[in-house]
């Protein structure tokens, strides 16, 4: 970590806690700042606030009072999820107080090479793939992931040297609050429509994503998905060298698919069918990751080894284990129909599907074609079980069974499977009717599979 004096004796407000806020506050204190942390959750219900108080940091909880600004802060480090419509933020802007997000603070003290990954889908998988690729046969230093992947950059950055690499997943919320963050290699996986309620428009969302390249120069690299025509125009906004990836064989691509092979500028890296995680989305993720790894100087062999052993990111079409020739996959992150469609399209084997969850008031007719093409039996649970059963009937599926939840569905799904089948949890629904998060749902599913098989999940 760089030793900087920027924040010595400066008064800084950290707005919003959770992991990023707690670690930002600690880093600022380490840098010599007078830190005040503010969080809307009451103190008695706020373990993060209690941690900071025990560290000797001033904490204000229960609301975000505008009167806090009377303390003449020179900077606000904002939790990425807090919108700029927040009254305290608006008041700070009217007083011209600089506002940044935690990744910007981390970038200011980062001493390692920085790779940034953003996009609508695939960020976490690509970030993880790149990290594992760069650590394969690495002689000096280490690649570490951080950011929106669940590990605060302000925590990781304190462990890094010039021999290391920080691979940082960057959300649009994070990127809205950067000023100097400068990735040597940036990756935009894709760009669809998301978070309009927060950004206000798709144009604002896209502009936030493109901030990943705003500080790049001609010595840097920007990896873009050349199968998306919009990316061709957006690329003109960057000063970096554009590295083009294409699953569909777009003209001029640097990383692409040809004759069933992942290619890098006419060099074959790995047969597509040897990527250890299924689905066309993971072919695209692999292309983006290998492009970043090649630009970073990694060998073809190291990249191929990583992709052929990559078990996926937890809860994102994650391979769990094989039991009696049935492969079990955890796709608990599939909280909408589109995610389950993509999961099903990744398998050539017959699928026993476990699905269901929170009722958001829509039917599952859009899932019918994929159920018909890929699924032999379903085990359904949660508020939407009957709606999903209707879709399964329309798909001609006769084996329609019900369970109390995603845990109880496991032995039932196993009974319906045969050797060579895939047993897949891909709920197509949020978890909140039965579980506090998709992570809890996925973890409990994995434990149920372990209990059924007597084996442990396969770790990457």
């Amino acid at each position: 970590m760089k030793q900087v004096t920027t924040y010595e004796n400066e008064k800084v407000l950290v707005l919003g806690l959770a992991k990023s806020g707690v670690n930002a506050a600690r880093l600022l204190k380490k840098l010599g700042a007078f830190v005040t942390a503010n969080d809307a959750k009451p103190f008695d219900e706020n373990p993060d606030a209690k941690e900071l108080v025990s560290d000797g940091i001033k904490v204000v909880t229960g609301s975000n009072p505008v009167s806090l600004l009377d303390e003449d802060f020179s900077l606000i480090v904002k939790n990425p999820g807090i919108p700029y419509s927040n009254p305290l933020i608006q008041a700070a802007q009217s007083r011209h107080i600089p506002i940044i997000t935690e990744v910007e603070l981390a970038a200011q003290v980062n001493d390692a090479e920085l790779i940034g990954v953003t996009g609508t889908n695939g960020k976490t998988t690509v970030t993880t793939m790149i990290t594992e690729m760069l650590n394969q046969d690495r002689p000096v230093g280490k690649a570490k992931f951080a950011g929106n992947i669940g590990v605060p950059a302000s925590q990781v950055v304190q462990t890094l040297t010039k021999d290391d690499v920080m691979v940082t997943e960057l959300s649009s919320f994070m990127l809205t609050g950067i000023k100097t963050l400068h990735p040597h290699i940036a990756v935009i996986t894709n760009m669809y429509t998301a978070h309009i309620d927060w950004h206000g428009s798709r144009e604002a969302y896209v502009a936030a994503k493109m901030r990943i390249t705003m500080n790049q120069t001609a010595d840097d690299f920007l990896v873009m998905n050349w199968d998306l025509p919009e990316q061709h125009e957006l690329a003109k906004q960057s000063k970096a060298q554009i590295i083009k990836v294409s699953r569909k064989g777009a003209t001029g691509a640097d990383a692409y698919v040809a004759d069933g092979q992942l290619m890098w500028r006419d060099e074959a890296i790995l047969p597509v069918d040897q990527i250890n995680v299924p689905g066309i989305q993971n072919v695209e993720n692999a292309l983006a990751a290998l492009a970043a790894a090649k630009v970073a100087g990694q060998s073809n062999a190291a990249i191929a080894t990583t992709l052929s052993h990559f078990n996926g990111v937890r809860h994102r079409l994650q391979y769990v284990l094989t039991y009696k020739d049935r492969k079990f996959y955890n796709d608990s992150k599939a909280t909408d129909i589109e995610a389950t469609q993509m999961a099903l399209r990744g398998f050539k084997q017959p699928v026993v599907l476990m699905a269901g969850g929170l009722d958001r008031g829509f039917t599952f007719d859009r899932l019918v074609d994929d159920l018909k093409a890929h699924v032999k039996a379903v085990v359904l649970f949660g508020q939407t079980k009957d709606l999903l059963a209707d879709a399964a009937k329309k798909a001609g599926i006769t084996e329609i069974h019900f369970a109390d939840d995603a845990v109880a569905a496991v032995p039932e799904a196993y009974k319906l499977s045969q050797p060579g089948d895939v047993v897949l949890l891909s709920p197509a629904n949020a978890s909140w009717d039965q579980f506090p998060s998709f992570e809890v749902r996925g973890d409990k599913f994995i434990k149920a599979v372990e209990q059924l098989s007597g084996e442990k999940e396969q770790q990457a």
Side-chain angles (χ1 to χ4, degrees), residues 31 109 140 153 201 203 208 228 239 265 280 293 323 393 395 400 454:
L31 295 173
V109 298
V140 179
S201 67
E203 290 74 19
L228 303 176
K239 296 177 182 177
R265 296 176 180 171
I280 59 174
Y323 175 59
K393 289 173 185 175
I400 300 173

Side-chain angles (χ1 to χ4, degrees), residues 171-173 176 194-202 204-206 208-209:
S171 69
S172 58
F173 306 150
T176 301
H195 304 307
I196 304 305
D197 55 338
W198 198 92
H199 289 282
S201 67
R202 187 178 189 280
Y205 170 70
V206 171
K209 290 292 192 186

Side-chain angles (χ1 to χ4, degrees), residues 11 22 52 73 102 126-127 146 158 166 178 228-229 368 391 423 430:
K11 297 176 73 175
V22 168
L52 291 183
F73 293 107
E102 176 259 351
V126 171
T127 298
Q158 297 182 56
M166 184 163 69
I178 67 166
L228 303 176
V368 169
V423 182

Side-chain angles (χ1 to χ4, degrees), residues 227-244:
D227 288 336
L228 303 176
E230 181 187 43
Q231 301 286 288
H232 300 209
E233 289 301 311
L234 292 173
K236 297 174 183 177
Q237 299 179 20
S238 178
K239 296 177 182 177
Q241 301 173 55
I242 305 300
I243 305 299
K244 306 166 186 175

Side-chain angles (χ1 to χ4, degrees), residues 2 109-114 157 160-166:
K2 291 179 185 175
V109 298
N110 179 37
D111 209 18
E113 181 177 334
L114 178 63
V157 75
L160 300 177
T161 71
K162 292 181 178 179
D163 293 325
D164 300 319
V165 180
M166 184 163 69

